[in-house]
Amino acid sequence: MSAIPHEKVLDNSLNLLLEGFPFIHNRVKRFNSNIFKTRIMFQNVICLHGEEAAKVFYDPDKFMRYQAIPNRIQRTLMGKDAIQTMDEEGHLHRKAMFMSLMTPDSLYKLNRLLTQQWQAAIHRWEHMEEVVLFEETQDLLCRVACAWTGVPLIQEDVRRRASDFAAMVDAFGAVGPRHMRGRIARKRAEAWIEDVIERIRNGKLKVPENSPAHVIAFHRDIEDKPLDVHMAAVELINLLRPIVAIAWYITFGAVALHEHPVTRRKIAEGEEGYVEMFVQEVRRYYPFGPFLGNLVKKDFTWGGHKFKKGTLVFLDIYGTLHDEQIWENPDEFYPYRFRDWDGSAFNLIPQGGGDHFTGHRCAGEWVTIEAMKVSMVFLSRYMEYEVPPQDLSFSLERMPTYPNSKFIMHNVSAVEHAEEGDVNRLSKCPFHHV
């Protein structure tokens, strides 16, 4: 039995906060090993890195999510006892509900809403002296998310609701005031969506039967019981919040278009398959999630190492996406690397790995990809803008991170009217992922 490299420290939580995204990858390189032991939050943790490790990490016979996600993250990012914390039949049943919403027709509706909101946004931005893309796209995506799910949203509430969803995301790697803002935002959002669920159930709010809000409001659990109002609200927020979170990727995409002008030209000209390669490279190259956690479900041996039941295990997301053994020149932004990509479910894992239907891979990953494609088409073809001098760098210590200036644009103007069919053509719909 091989010995796992062991970092002998009392606790590494402070170093994790100080180092941020590269924390695991730094030690993978230091130990020259894709597996090592350390201590986080005063408990023993095994850290895994790489594609083969991801295959093991997403094996439901070996790992479970129950009790693996810290309470502080549940109370900010995803909600207490939400689908992300479930396992086995209960998880499969709840996941089937989410995946039932990811049909081609449903995604087409989302795509149309995105097109309409981008057109409206450009019209507004033409009259603004300065546009902060990171915040503006949060508002845009909040409008889209609510319209797509069936949640009523009045204009006066857009910034507040979008800001709350963003605060939940911003809190997942935070301590202190950022964490507290996330908790307060979640309480406010849950109260709002609980009221929506109650009004749908008592008939005071009419929404289409196939809308996500209706599906979740009347979903019955594995014991054929309706979700309680709070849990239904938590799961509906688990559709709304991640859509608003796409603002992080859109902002990074805008940075990539600016710093690599040839990419903007290729998207605008509609080079076959290019916008999808570009979007995948944004998701690979720019940081969003640092790692994921699971608990060992039962004793097993892998790679000559023994894993004991109940042990906390982290999978290195950021490091796997920047591993030179997987990605040639990983620190170079190069969309064409996806021209010959094998489509592995275990190396491109910014939103988790494995199977969408049976595992814990994000149910909304297709939404993210398609929303980014539409957004990159608008930023490349349907608008002109100036990018004034600003700080577009980002910190790897901050989790999550974003460009320091949040991407400022001046003199925004529409180039031409965006027809839905043309947007679909350029973003390569229909949705071949489904």
Side-chain angles (χ1 to χ4, degrees), residues 1 4 35 37 43-46 48 56 61-64 294-302 304-313:
M1 196 73 64
I4 299 176
I35 179 172
K37 290 181 180 179
Q43 61 179 315
N44 294 323
V45 179
I46 296 178
L48 301 178
V56 175
D61 291 331
K62 294 182 174 64
F63 286 97
M64 63 183 182
N294 268 340
L295 288 179
V296 177
K297 188 175 183 179
K298 61 183 179 182
D299 291 0
F300 73 93
T301 300
W302 174 75
H305 305 295
K306 187 171 183 179
F307 291 72
K308 293 185 178 180
K309 179 179 178 180
T311 302
L312 181 60
V313 177

Side-chain angles (χ1 to χ4, degrees), residues 20-197:
F21 285 90
F23 174 83
I24 297 178
H25 201 199
N26 288 343
R27 285 153 182 77
V28 165
K29 291 185 284 188
R30 182 189 309 168
F31 294 127
N32 192 29
S33 172
N34 286 339
I35 179 172
F36 66 90
K37 290 181 180 179
T38 188
R39 284 179 62 80
I40 303 291
M41 298 175 290
F42 296 100
Q43 61 179 315
N44 294 323
V45 179
I46 296 178
C47 296
L48 301 178
H49 167 94
E51 185 171 4
E52 294 306 310
K55 293 177 183 178
V56 175
F57 185 85
Y58 282 101
D59 183 343
D61 291 331
K62 294 182 174 64
F63 286 97
M64 63 183 182
R65 279 291 176 87
Y66 179 64
Q67 296 184 333
I69 299 176
N71 186 61
R72 61 188 307 278
I73 294 179
Q74 292 187 50
R75 292 193 178 279
T76 53
L77 183 64
M78 63 195 57
K80 186 70 175 169
D81 299 326
I83 184 174
Q84 296 92 337
T85 70
M86 301 173 70
D87 292 295
E88 299 181 337
E89 293 303 315
H91 173 259
L92 289 174
H93 184 77
R94 187 78 57 86
K95 190 66 176 288
M97 175 193 70
F98 278 96
M99 296 310 298
S100 74
L101 305 172
M102 303 301 160
T103 63
D105 285 347
S106 183
L107 293 176
Y108 267 124
K109 177 183 177 182
L110 185 81
N111 201 57
R112 289 195 299 272
L113 292 166
L114 280 161
T115 298
Q116 294 163 7
Q117 288 300 327
W118 268 102
Q119 289 175 321
I122 294 171
H123 179 71
R124 287 194 304 275
W125 299 346
E126 286 180 315
H127 304 285
M128 294 170 60
E129 183 176 337
E130 179 176 281
V131 173
V132 180
L133 187 67
F134 183 56
E135 295 173 355
E136 290 291 329
T137 50
Q138 290 172 16
D139 291 0
L140 184 159
L141 291 163
C142 188
R143 291 186 179 95
V144 169
C146 289
W148 180 64
T149 57
V151 172
L153 179 67
I154 60 174
Q155 175 59 32
E156 291 77 9
D157 285 349
V158 171
R159 178 84 288 260
R160 178 163 60 105
R161 300 307 187 188
S163 180
D164 278 349
F165 291 135
M168 295 177 210
V169 178
D170 197 45
F172 79 69
V175 294
R178 273 174 58 204
H179 175 76
M180 290 309 302
R181 281 195 295 271
R183 291 187 70 153
I184 293 168
R186 169 158 287 281
K187 288 182 179 179
R188 194 158 46 220
E190 286 179 353
W192 168 41
I193 300 301
E194 284 173 11
D195 179 66
V196 170
I197 294 293

Side-chain angles (χ1 to χ4, degrees), residues 390-416:
Q390 60 188 279
D391 183 5
L392 292 174
S393 65
F394 53 90
S395 169
L396 289 177
E397 289 75 45
R398 190 189 198 281
M399 299 181 293
T401 190
Y402 47 76
N404 288 325
S405 65
K406 302 182 181 180
F407 201 85
I408 297 169
M409 301 187 296
H410 289 173
N411 297 321
V412 173
S413 62
V415 174
E416 60 179 288

Side-chain angles (χ1 to χ4, degrees), residues 236-265:
L236 184 49
I237 291 171
N238 274 328
L239 286 177
L240 298 164
R241 170 191 45 78
I243 293 175
V244 174
I246 300 171
W248 269 258
Y249 278 136
I250 291 174
T251 306
F252 278 129
V255 172
L257 291 172
H258 174 66
E259 295 183 343
H260 308 278
V262 67
T263 64
R264 187 178 180 189
R265 176 176 57 80

